[in-house]
Amino acid sequence: MQPTLPDSLLSQLSDLLAARIGLHFPAARWNDLERGITAAALAFGMPDAGSCAHRLLSAPLARREIEILASCLTVGETYFFREKRSFEVLEQHILPALLRAREGKERRIRIWSAGCCTGEEPYSMAMLLDRLIPDQAAWSVTVHATDINPVFLRKAAEGEYGEWSFRSAPGWIKDHYFQPQRGGRFKLDERIRKRVAFSYLNLADNSYPSVTNNTNAMDVIFCRNVLMYFSAELARTVIDDFHRALVDGGWLVVSPAETSSVLFSRFTAVEFDGATLYRKDASARGPRFVSHGLTPVPDSRQEPWRLAQGIVPAENMPAVEVFPAVMAATSPPADACSAGTPPLPEQDQPSLVARKCANEGRLGEAAEWCRKAIAADKLDPAHHYLLSAIEQEQGQVNAAVQSLARALYLDPHFVIAHYALGNLYQSLGRLSSARRHFDNALSSLQAYSPGEVLPESDGLTAGRLMEIIESMRSRRAQPAVGL
């Protein structure tokens, strides 16, 4: 098919999508771009691709428009344990080393699937962790999964798949973790579904790493077959953000087609047999090679690493978002919370230091700095809101509830705090309390125009939050329907 839209219009659309969504459509792919815009025109209720293109270029894109465009312009092509060598390296080298290092210390593992599509990748990680950590008493494990496509996220949260998702997957997958359904479908065990938290994230936005959208202090980030669709400039920006989101020694996993010594120059390339991974290691001096047989692999049956169920269940989440990000603050000095560094005086904005410490995974220090911020200004509800996000990540749910209650005592119309507290109560099964806070959020939203950005929301508009809450209400009122 040859494009029928003028080249000048397609060029403008390509630039717009690269800037707002990150999708790169060079001239060679303009036929794909026009097909996507034609599909989007139907979703927008417009007569044709041309009128849709002019509408998109005439005003800033709203969040809902971005979601529709992402649905029309991206293709969900994935399956369980795709590119299995990466998972073998994770199972045989990276995770055992992490578990040994954290045993007896802070038993905490954090993994992020960025661009998770319909969920096969993060669920593969959750199943792998289940094999490695059979005793679930003492470990806090986060498997966080994000995507820009809300349709993908809803399918992922449902956890139901057809045969095509199991191609090339290990045979034990179906036997241990899935139940057959009608029509040749398979439903993932609820125990595994609860271990993955799905949420919306546009990688082209500068909203990560952040403790409040759970993209900080990651041990492993999977971002496979995503960067290849970005412009080189955006890919560099996203990779730099991933570098900041990883702890020292953390790992970035990309697809074999995306490896690049230029783009990943801030990382150390580590060559395993059949796979190249990138490590955040400031002391490294160059690429290294790890033979498949060099690192002894502990037998998970003899060494029962333990896992705690400290993550938000998929079925207790709102439509596609769990906990909205608070506004990213200007970072304090780089050494503000480094080990052995004398504390900064309180006048140096302790809330900023709290954010930086939290984003680096130093949650204890972050909480202390947050309390210093509260002591310095007891009447600022934003400090209590930030503390609640830190406490939630520490697994201190009751303390997080109390901090949000304090924020709302100081500002009864603090919309994001009502929404966050409603989510917490919903995850605890306290549905009447959750409903009350969602209702309060809707009531407080009446004071804002639909396009107005909410305080402490990192860009979330009043209209979008209203859509999210109403969508949650609709989902509760109706039986689940497969997508």
Side-chain angles (χ1 to χ4, degrees):
M1 162 185 154
Q2 291 298 319
T4 59
L5 295 178
D7 287 356
S8 58
L9 194 58
L10 289 166
S11 178
Q12 292 177 67
L13 282 171
S14 178
D15 291 343
L16 175 69
L17 293 169
R20 291 304 312 277
I21 305 179
L23 298 178
H24 180 50
F25 286 92
R29 294 191 60 220
W30 280 355
N31 56 338
D32 296 331
L33 174 57
E34 183 167 330
R35 273 196 295 266
I37 297 300
T38 301
L42 292 175
F44 290 133
M46 298 179 184
D48 52 49
S51 58
C52 180
H54 286 293
R55 165 62 187 85
L56 295 172
L57 292 167
S58 67
L61 292 181
R63 164 71 176 272
R64 178 63 179 157
E65 292 172 324
I66 289 175
E67 290 180 354
I68 290 174
L69 287 168
S71 299
C72 295
L73 292 166
T74 57
V75 178
E77 171 57 27
T78 187
Y79 48 92
F80 291 104
F81 288 85
R82 183 181 185 181
E83 295 168 5
K84 64 179 181 178
R85 188 66 189 106
S86 296
F87 285 99
E88 290 171 349
V89 169
L90 195 69
E91 180 180 19
Q92 297 169 6
H93 298 281
I94 294 172
L95 288 178
L98 271 173
L99 293 167
R100 287 194 298 270
R102 304 272 172 85
E103 177 69 20
K105 299 178 182 178
E106 187 179 17
R107 293 171 175 173
R108 188 164 172 259
I109 301 292
R110 291 174 57 76
I111 300 177
W112 176 15
S113 171
C116 65
C117 195
T118 45
E120 288 92 334
E121 179 177 89
Y123 283 141
S124 296
M125 298 176 198
M127 287 184 275
L128 194 60
L129 288 164
D130 187 65
R131 285 162 60 86
L132 288 173
I133 317 175
D135 180 1
Q136 303 175 19
W139 283 83
S140 175
V141 173
T142 295
V143 180
H144 186 50
T146 64
D147 203 277
I148 194 175
N149 189 326
V151 175
F152 290 169
L153 290 168
R154 285 192 288 271
K155 288 183 177 180
E158 289 172 359
E160 187 172 307
Y161 299 93
E163 283 285 358
W164 193 238
S165 291
F166 297 92
R167 60 192 189 276
S168 303
W172 51 265
I173 296 294
K174 283 185 187 177
D175 296 338
H176 289 284
Y177 295 111
F178 286 85
Q179 292 296 323
Q181 306 292 302
R182 292 180 179 178
R185 308 282 292 174
F186 296 85
K187 186 78 171 182
L188 180 61
D189 192 318
E190 182 181 4
R191 181 173 57 89
I192 300 299
R193 284 192 290 119
K194 285 184 175 181
R195 295 181 188 171
V196 181
F198 294 95
S199 62
Y200 173 93
L201 184 70
N202 183 352
L203 291 174
D205 290 341
N206 186 24
S207 60
Y208 60 96
S210 172
V211 64
T212 49
N213 61 7
N214 207 20
T215 54
N216 66 300
M218 291 292 168
D219 295 300
V220 182
I221 298 175
F222 269 64
C223 186
R224 303 185 302 169
N225 303 296
V226 175
L227 297 172
M228 65 175 63
Y229 296 108
F230 292 170
S231 66
E233 181 180 0
L234 178 60
R236 281 191 291 269
T237 300
V238 170
I239 291 166
D240 285 346
D241 288 339
F242 285 158
H243 190 272
R244 293 190 298 116
L246 286 164
V247 298
D248 288 341
W251 296 84
L252 174 62
V253 185
V254 299
S255 74
E258 295 168 318
T259 57
S260 167
S261 60
V262 176
L263 285 176
F264 300 99
S265 59
R266 295 187 65 186
F267 290 84
T268 298
V270 183
E271 298 286 345
F272 296 86
D273 286 345
T276 300
L277 276 64
Y278 295 95
R279 193 172 194 187
K280 179 179 176 177
D281 184 357
S283 65
R285 289 292 178 269
R288 292 171 288 163
F289 180 81
V290 179
S291 172
H292 183 66
L294 286 180
T295 304
V297 181
D299 187 339
S300 62
R301 294 169 296 180
Q302 300 175 7
E303 219 168 336
W305 307 106
R306 290 163 290 180
L307 170 66
Q309 298 183 44
I311 46 185
V312 180
E315 65 270 24
N316 287 337
M317 295 175 5
V320 292
E321 301 180 46
V322 181
F323 202 76
V326 300
M327 187 170 296
T330 304
S331 297
D335 60 352
C337 59
S338 300
T341 302
L344 295 176
E346 287 188 357
Q347 61 266 29
D348 282 331
Q349 296 180 289
S351 64
L352 302 186
V353 184
R355 290 174 187 274
K356 179 169 177 59
C357 290
N359 288 345
E360 293 178 355
R362 302 173 180 270
L363 298 179
E365 294 176 65
E368 286 303 312
W369 279 105
C370 214
R371 293 186 182 99
K372 290 180 182 181
I374 292 169
D377 186 357
K378 296 181 176 63
L379 301 181
D380 188 342
H383 298 333
H384 296 277
Y385 175 70
L386 177 59
L387 180 59
S388 75
I390 296 168
E391 289 167 337
Q392 188 177 1
E393 188 164 331
Q394 289 177 307
Q396 301 173 10
V397 176
N398 290 334
V401 168
Q402 293 171 8
S403 293
L404 285 169
R406 294 188 190 101
L408 289 168
Y409 176 80
L410 293 170
D411 181 1
H413 300 290
F414 193 170
V415 176
I416 290 297
H418 276 301
Y419 175 60
L421 190 50
N423 280 327
L424 274 179
Y425 279 140
Q426 185 163 286
S427 70
L428 294 170
R430 297 173 59 179
L431 301 184
S432 61
S433 296
R435 190 179 305 112
R436 184 176 71 254
H437 283 285
F438 290 140
D439 288 344
N440 289 339
L442 287 173
S443 177
S444 297
L445 282 169
Q446 301 305 315
Y448 296 87
S449 62
E452 190 171 354
V453 174
L454 297 169
E456 304 300 321
S457 73
D458 197 23
L460 185 67
T461 65
R464 177 54 185 157
L465 182 57
M466 190 173 294
E467 290 175 6
I468 291 170
I469 296 174
E470 292 293 355
S471 175
M472 292 165 62
R473 282 178 161 180
S474 175
R475 286 181 60 181
R476 286 198 301 269
Q478 300 175 3
V481 177
L483 292 174

